[in-house]
Amino acid sequence: MQFVNNNTVVVAGGLLSLLHRPQELFFWNVSNPLSPTFIKAENPPTSSAVDDILPLPQGGFLVSIMGAADGSSPGAIGEWDAKLNFVGEWPPVGERPSDFNPHGVSLHVEKDILITSDFIDPASSLHPSQTILLRDSIRIFKPWSNRRVTSTVRIPEGIGLMDVKFLPHHPDGLAYTTNFGSQGMVIWAINTTDSTTTPVFNVSGVYNCSQRDHMLHQPVAGTTKYLVTNSYSGLIIMFDTSDPLNLVLLDAVVYGVQSGIHSIEISDDNRYAMVSGYFLDEDSMGLLHEDGDRSIHISEITSIGLIKTDFLVNMNTIVPYPMRPHMVRFYNTKTTTRPT
């Protein structure tokens, strides 16, 4: 889920819609945020299992789509314009790497580079499959304006790269991803100028991490702060990136093992980090069973660290039917008071 077109439209994806192949992307007009109106729903033509939605500065959006139309491989990057019209899927059919299953996606506007991280083959997580196919690749589209993969970077011992984010305005187009290998949970820097990788921080050297942990990344705009979530271990960790290849741990808040801390969003004024406690439970349909506390949490970002607030929305009790908050977003209006 994401706000696009200057917060006037919400776009959301049905991650498992591929099971019955109805529409996978849903659009609402939220010009009045308390009274949204449905616009339309539609499918990308040759791909399925939509995930991360990336708003574009000129309006419209990109979306990482992990699988082919039947949920297998390869996936694609979908593009819609400011009028919410479908533009295309990239790379074009026939040019997609066979193991292209993009989950994380980030755009360096100044350098015209798109970067993606491959996570899993979606169909391999569903019955009758017995093994989930985890991916190890970062894809670089340079220049993005050509809509082609120009470089593939393999992360050593890669077992599902959930996210990748550019460090804003870095001259070499530096981005970060995370992987759990034999050395534990390691943050890697990817230099998109020369397609090299460097391990920059071993999270397992400080915190007890699990192979079931997956990290989502979020830079704090206009600062050197950088936040990541640790899903299974229930952490939000804050780093200083003043020296991008030598990250400094600043602080962390702990929501508890199996809280499922997944999506992370930062308010426009950089004062709050909001996270959702749910990853994915495929129930009787598949092999992934990573639930969480199904709650929304908010921590305050200060000059010296993170402070856990008492803000809590429990989706198990707030509505009379089950809710699974895989993604959460601020309706960003330059928050100046404590979120409610």
Side-chain angles (χ1 to χ4, degrees):
M1 181 184 75
Q2 183 60 275
F3 291 97
V4 303
N5 290 9
N6 294 319
N7 286 358
T8 61
V9 174
V10 159
V11 182
L15 181 61
L16 294 178
S17 293
L18 64 93
L19 290 169
H20 302 289
R21 198 55 180 167
Q23 282 72 26
E24 293 206 24
L25 278 169
F26 305 86
F27 301 73
W28 287 268
N29 185 320
V30 291
S31 299
N32 181 348
L34 297 182
S35 184
T37 57
F38 183 68
I39 299 173
K40 65 175 180 175
E42 61 186 55
N43 269 329
T46 67
S47 55
S48 68
V50 302
D51 199 86
D52 199 10
I53 297 167
L54 178 67
L56 295 173
Q58 70 272 24
F61 62 93
L62 305 175
V63 56
S64 59
I65 312 175
M66 284 193 291
D70 63 355
S72 63
S73 300
I77 297 297
E79 182 177 2
W80 275 256
D81 66 18
K83 295 182 179 179
L84 306 181
N85 294 318
F86 174 73
V87 175
E89 294 166 296
W90 316 111
V93 173
E95 296 185 24
R96 298 169 192 169
S98 61
D99 58 351
F100 183 49
N101 301 115
H103 187 288
V105 58
S106 187
L107 179 64
H108 197 304
V109 175
E110 299 99 318
K111 295 183 72 69
D112 189 24
I113 304 173
L114 188 86
I115 191 168
T116 67
S117 60
D118 291 337
F119 183 43
I120 64 171
D121 176 301
S124 74
S125 74
L126 300 169
H127 295 316
S129 173
Q130 297 184 355
T131 303
I132 299 175
L133 299 177
L134 296 161
R135 303 307 195 192
D136 66 354
S137 297
I138 298 293
R139 316 288 181 175
I140 299 171
F141 297 69
K142 187 172 67 172
W144 163 241
S145 52
N146 286 346
R147 306 304 197 259
R148 262 63 174 186
V149 174
T150 53
S151 181
T152 292
V153 179
R154 307 283 180 182
I155 299 298
E157 303 179 289
I159 53 168
L161 308 178
M162 181 172 283
D163 203 9
V164 63
K165 286 289 190 299
F166 276 113
L167 188 61
H169 314 300
H170 190 275
D172 291 327
L174 202 72
Y176 294 125
T177 192
T178 319
N179 180 62
F180 193 98
S182 60
Q183 301 302 308
M185 183 65 75
V186 175
I187 298 176
W188 291 81
I190 303 102
N191 186 320
T192 58
T193 297
D194 58 13
S195 299
T196 57
T197 61
T198 306
V200 294
F201 197 91
N202 189 333
V203 181
S204 294
V206 183
Y207 300 103
N208 185 21
C209 299
S210 164
Q211 188 171 340
R212 295 168 65 181
D213 274 315
H214 296 286
M215 284 186 159
L216 287 186
H217 295 231
Q218 190 64 55
V220 182
T223 76
T224 59
K225 297 185 180 76
Y226 192 92
L227 302 184
V228 298
T229 62
N230 226 11
S231 57
Y232 181 80
S233 301
L235 297 167
I236 308 176
I237 309 173
M238 183 164 73
F239 295 95
D240 180 77
T241 63
S242 298
D243 182 349
L245 298 183
N246 293 282
L247 299 186
V248 175
L249 175 64
L250 295 178
D251 200 7
V253 294
V254 182
Y255 286 103
V257 173
Q258 293 186 295
S259 55
I261 299 303
H262 180 62
S263 168
I264 180 168
E265 173 82 342
I266 297 174
S267 61
D268 264 358
D269 59 3
N270 293 337
R271 292 182 59 194
Y272 300 101
M274 179 167 58
V275 295
S276 59
Y278 175 79
F279 174 29
L280 179 63
D281 186 350
E282 294 176 330
D283 299 318
S284 62
M285 298 175 291
L287 305 177
L288 275 171
H289 303 291
E290 298 295 342
D291 209 324
D293 63 13
R294 302 192 183 186
S295 296
I296 308 301
H297 306 273
I298 288 181
S299 288
E300 185 176 358
I301 303 169
T302 73
S303 59
I304 58 173
L306 296 167
I307 300 174
K308 186 191 298 185
T309 74
D310 60 359
F311 183 97
L312 174 68
V313 177
N314 188 332
M315 292 297 185
N316 292 306
T317 59
I318 197 169
V319 292
Y321 49 86
M323 291 277 289
R324 302 185 182 192
H326 181 76
M327 187 65 67
V328 63
R329 301 293 186 195
F330 279 111
Y331 182 81
N332 276 328
T333 53
K334 293 294 182 184
T335 303
T336 55
T337 58
R338 189 176 182 279
T340 58

